[in-house]
């Protein structure tokens, strides 16, 4: 029921939107790129989150039930821009879901001895089967996954911290400023999701003020978790940490018994995230088809309570070659980050046009500038959203021509 959500429950939803299973491997990927100086990249990304999060909260307060970033971008810049933003997110899903499954696979291999690729395939197959059967991750179950991930990260930090060694931070920046920028590029994966605030305002009992409080609570929670994980992982494990840093931290703090438990938890977390993103992508594909940004045959089944089987099948078709051809997790995470960073940048840029002059618009201007800087850190991976930006208008033109012929 709308208008019944409090700030605490709203914060839990926002934490779930921002925090994901990528945190199971990002400390390793960032440290691999920048060494101990990866903590600077984490700090920079946290600084970027502040104006971006507050901007989307302001958008949600002014335009409750805004329909997500693509809808906001459409209101600000028109139908073509909305299609591009939609395609950026839609294109990121096959990359991100495969990356998520591989994250779970790596933990399964390290903790339970099953081959990582086999485990990833099983996670993906289970998620697609669940969606084809019409099974959704319920709101309460998804909230449970968020609580589980927060508890896992917090436990790893608290139990491993006493084993920290200051010597792990020397040499501090073995790869220089370029390494820090590279780390920031992959860390974008952990700093998207704030756009969820842009369409949550109508659900809050206190409207915009409650949404702002929820956003501030989320910023504090995310900030503490990310700071704790980034610093403790390097201090305890060193910059050459294993690809499953949470397992190593928990083993350091709790002993070998933590290993199989972490493997099971990793499977649950990654399956929950992959299942949810596949469901969202299938519905987004149906919505894009209704708007002409995908062939109209994929629009079927996108209504409430329906399963968009054709769109779901398209997501599956796009995911298979990604799994077969791109098993490099770092590459997948960076390509996904580039797409989602582009979505975020488009959203805050739209806010500059849609918010009235004053403090909120000024915050949006700062958020836009910082988001563009974050995009620059993605480097050559910006080619992925650039290609998708070309696909969207082509699809719109094809749809328009078919509609014209039908009209004739």
């Amino acid at each position: 029921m709308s208008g019944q959500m409090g700030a605490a429950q709203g914060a839990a939803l926002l934490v779930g939107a921002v925090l994901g299973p990528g945190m199971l491997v990002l400390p390793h990927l960032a440290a691999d790129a920048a060494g101990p100086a990866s903590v600077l990249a984490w700090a920079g990304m946290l600084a970027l989150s502040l104006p971006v999060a507050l901007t989307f909260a302001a958008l949600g307060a002014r335009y409750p039930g805004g329909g997500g970033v693509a809808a906001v971008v459409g209101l600000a810049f028109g139908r073509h821009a909305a299609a591009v933003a939609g395609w950026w997110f839609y294109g990121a899903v096959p990359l991100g879901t495969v990356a998520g499954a591989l994250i779970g696979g790596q933990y399964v291999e390290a903790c339970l001895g099953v081959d990582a690729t086999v485990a990833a395939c099983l996670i993906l197959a289970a998620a697609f089967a669940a969606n084809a059967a019409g099974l959704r991750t319920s709101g309460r179950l998804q909230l449970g996954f968020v609580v589980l991930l927060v508890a896992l990260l917090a436990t790893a930090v608290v139990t491993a911290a006493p084993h920290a060694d200051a010597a792990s931070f020397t040499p501090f920046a073995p790869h220089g400023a370029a390494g820090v920028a590279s780390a920031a590029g992959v860390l974008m994966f952990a700093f998207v999701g704030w756009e969820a605030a842009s369409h949550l305002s109508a659900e809050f009992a206190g409207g915009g003020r409650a949404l702002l409080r929820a956003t501030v609570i989320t910023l504090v929670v995310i900030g503490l978790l990310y700071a704790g994980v980034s610093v403790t992982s390097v201090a305890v494990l060193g910059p050459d940490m294993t690809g499953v840093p949470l397992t190593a931290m928990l083993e350091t703090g709790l002993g070998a018994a933590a290993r199989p438990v972490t493997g099971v938890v990793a499977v649950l977390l990654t399956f929950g995230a992959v299942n949810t993103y596949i469901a969202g992508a299938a519905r987004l594909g149906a919505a894009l088809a209704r708007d002409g940004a995908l062939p109209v045959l994929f629009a079927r089944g996108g209504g409430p309570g329906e399963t968009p089987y054709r769109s779901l099948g398209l997501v599956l078709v796009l995911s298979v070659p990604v799994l077969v051809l791109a098993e490099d997790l770092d590459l997948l995470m960076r390509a996904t980050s580039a797409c989602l960073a582009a979505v975020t940048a488009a959203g805050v840029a739209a806010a500059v046009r849609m918010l009235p002059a004053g403090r909120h618009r000024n915050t949006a201007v700062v958020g836009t500038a910082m988001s563009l800087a974050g995009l620059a850190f993605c480097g050559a991976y910006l080619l992925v959203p650039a290609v998708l930006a070309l696909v969207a208008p082509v699809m719109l033109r094809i749809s328009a021509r078919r509609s014209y012929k039908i009209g004739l």
Side-chain angles (χ1 to χ4, degrees):
M1 184 180 297
S2 64
Q4 298 300 311
M5 189 187 301
Q9 186 180 359
L13 289 176
L14 285 176
V15 168
V18 177
L19 189 65
M23 281 300 296
L24 298 176
V25 296
L26 283 172
H28 158 68
L29 296 178
D32 186 57
S38 61
V39 297
L40 298 180
W42 284 96
M45 291 295 100
L46 282 170
L48 180 150
S49 288
L50 183 61
V52 169
L54 294 177
T55 294
F56 282 121
L59 268 178
R62 188 167 182 83
Y63 301 97
V69 173
V72 172
V73 171
L75 289 174
F77 302 118
R79 181 181 177 220
H80 282 71
V84 169
W87 263 93
W88 280 338
F89 187 85
Y90 191 71
V93 170
L95 302 170
T97 53
V98 171
L102 286 173
I103 290 169
Q106 284 192 358
Y107 271 79
V108 168
E109 181 170 338
C111 300
L112 304 175
V114 179
D115 181 77
T117 302
V118 172
C121 290
L122 291 174
I123 291 171
L124 281 172
F128 276 107
N131 275 276
L135 301 177
R136 304 284 185 265
T137 304
S138 70
R140 289 184 178 180
L141 184 57
Q142 196 63 31
L143 181 59
F145 285 144
V146 173
V147 171
L148 185 62
L149 180 54
V150 170
L152 182 70
L153 295 174
T155 302
V157 170
V158 171
T159 59
H163 303 274
D165 183 358
S168 297
F169 287 92
T170 56
F172 183 66
H175 308 297
V180 177
S182 178
V186 73
L187 286 178
M188 287 296 296
F189 194 95
F191 289 90
V192 293
W194 294 110
E195 68 276 0
S198 66
H199 52 90
L200 281 177
S201 183
E203 303 299 323
F204 282 85
R209 289 186 178 181
L211 175 56
L212 179 59
R213 287 196 297 271
T215 300
V216 171
I217 293 171
T218 304
L219 282 166
V220 172
V221 172
I222 292 294
L224 290 174
L225 281 175
Y226 285 9
V229 170
S230 61
V231 174
T232 306
S233 61
V234 173
V236 174
L237 306 177
D240 297 324
M241 66 184 72
T242 173
V244 286
L246 269 295
T247 296
M249 290 170 68
L250 287 166
E251 276 194 305
T252 300
L254 300 176
R259 180 173 286 267
V261 175
T262 308
V264 173
V265 170
V267 170
L268 292 175
L269 290 173
T270 52
F271 171 77
V274 169
N275 183 50
T276 298
Y277 272 101
I278 288 174
R283 295 203 167 276
L284 174 59
L288 289 173
R290 288 194 301 271
D291 294 337
L294 265 177
V296 69
L297 66 92
F298 293 108
R300 185 173 180 179
E306 298 179 331
T307 299
Y309 289 107
R310 294 179 180 179
S311 180
L312 179 64
L314 179 59
V315 176
L316 174 60
V317 168
L318 294 174
S319 299
V320 169
V322 174
L323 180 62
V324 172
L325 300 175
E327 292 187 11
D328 185 334
L329 183 58
D330 184 75
L331 182 151
L332 287 175
M333 299 279 277
R334 289 180 184 277
T336 306
S337 295
C339 292
L340 298 180
V343 173
T344 298
V348 289
V352 174
R353 293 198 64 175
M354 296 178 63
L355 293 175
R359 175 167 53 92
H360 293 314
R361 182 186 286 179
N362 293 338
T363 302
V365 170
V366 174
T368 301
M370 295 187 72
S371 295
L372 292 175
L375 269 177
F377 292 143
C378 295
Y381 292 90
L382 290 177
L383 180 63
V384 180
V387 170
L388 293 173
L390 298 176
V391 171
V394 170
M395 288 293 181
L396 287 173
R397 282 196 292 271
I398 292 174
S399 176
R401 288 174 182 172
R402 287 180 177 176
S403 297
Y404 177 75
K405 289 180 179 179
I406 293 173
L408 288 178

